[in-house]
Amino acid sequence: IQALLSTGPLAGRHVVVTSGPTQEAIDPVRFIANRSSGRQGHAIAAALAALGARVTLVCGPVAVPDPAGVTVVRIESARDMLAAVEAALPADAAVFAAAVADFRPADVGTQKIKKVPGAPPPGITLVLNPDILATIARHATQRPRLVVGFAAETETVVPHAQAKRLRKGCDWIVANDVSGDVMGGAENAVHLVTAEGVEDWPRLPKEEVARRLAARIAEVFA
Ligand code: CTP
Ligand code: CA
């Protein structure tokens, strides 16, 4: 019903957005995570919905409120995020703004890890998580027409992002410098890296970055 009633340049289009951190369990009471607030991804979901898209937002644990008019699927781990994204396909476009944990503990204890008096601290062996963006960008049967990734970099931002775009097989990379207060902050300075070149956007509120990105996505489907 909502898709039938919606108007705007993205009416009738389905877009999947990932947002927030993932949490990777160590034991029943502990996890590995990161500082992602979900602000940028959630703002993108809201901006796409405002242009008429049907939006599925797959997100890790965040404190920001659910955007209006968006279907929210909550997950914890990277593996759950991948499964939720795959379950949401087909989609016309996908935007991967989540800060996915690259690694997870190899073994998850069923009991809380205890201190052993006199013994050294236990090590945590990590294994690689699946790459959700690369998996969807190279999907054999259900690749969205437009696949957008993010690149969180602390140095040589644009060259790293250009390499990432090719390595992951996505169409665009939104490259951001996370060396300052970007993670959790209200503003973002990004570069849009496409096959055609690089656009340097000014430092803007995350909502405005989201609106510009949504407008660019709408151009693709015009
Ligand atoms: N990403 C993903 N699944 C992962 C890791 C990353 O979908 N397991 C996505 C992120 O959502 C983002 C893009 O890949 O859109 C790039 O994430 P980033 O952390 O910058 O790149 P990595 O490939 O993980 O490389 P590194 O962290 O080593 O720079
Ligand atoms: Ca990473």
Side-chain angles (χ1 to χ4, degrees):
I1 303 277
Q2 195 209 332
L4 293 176
L5 294 178
S6 77
T7 55
L10 288 172
R13 305 293 183 180
H14 179 216
V15 186
V16 175
V17 179
T18 70
S19 183
T22 66
Q23 292 181 352
E24 310 296 330
I26 298 170
D27 70 16
V29 297
R30 302 185 179 99
F31 56 80
I32 295 172
N34 60 68
R35 296 187 192 282
S36 171
S37 65
R39 285 180 77 147
Q40 186 63 82
H42 278 53
I44 290 166
L48 290 163
L51 295 185
R54 178 167 74 84
V55 178
T56 304
L57 174 62
V58 180
C59 70
V62 293
V64 290
D66 290 354
V70 163
T71 301
V72 180
V73 180
R74 283 187 196 70
I75 53 79
E76 288 184 356
S77 71
R79 288 185 293 176
D80 292 346
M81 181 173 273
L82 175 59
V85 168
E86 286 182 319
L89 297 178
D92 298 287
V95 181
F96 295 93
V100 182
D102 292 328
F103 313 105
R104 68 175 184 274
D107 305 297
V108 181
T110 54
Q111 306 296 332
K112 183 184 163 196
I113 299 167
K114 299 295 288 178
K115 286 181 288 190
V116 179
I124 299 175
T125 303
L126 299 174
V127 295
L128 200 58
N129 265 330
D131 190 311
I132 301 162
L133 167 60
T135 302
I136 301 303
R138 301 189 193 286
H139 203 288
T141 55
Q142 291 194 300
R143 186 195 194 275
R145 188 166 125 201
L146 181 69
V147 176
V148 182
F150 270 67
E153 310 289 353
T154 57
E155 53 173 349
T156 34
V157 175
V158 167
H160 275 151
Q162 286 170 320
K164 217 166 253 187
R165 193 184 78 83
L166 297 175
R167 195 164 67 236
K168 298 198 175 222
C170 59
D171 301 296
W172 299 350
I173 286 269
V174 180
N176 61 341
D177 186 337
V178 292
S179 58
D181 59 354
V182 158
M183 273 201 166
E187 294 187 324
N188 210 352
V190 308
H191 313 267
L192 183 65
V193 177
T194 72
E196 283 73 47
V198 182
E199 290 173 28
D200 303 317
W201 292 6
R203 188 177 174 90
L204 296 165
K206 286 181 176 176
E207 291 72 22
E208 186 55 28
V209 171
R211 275 191 288 273
R212 286 192 185 206
L213 184 65
R216 288 298 304 269
I217 291 171
E219 282 174 22
V220 172
F221 292 95

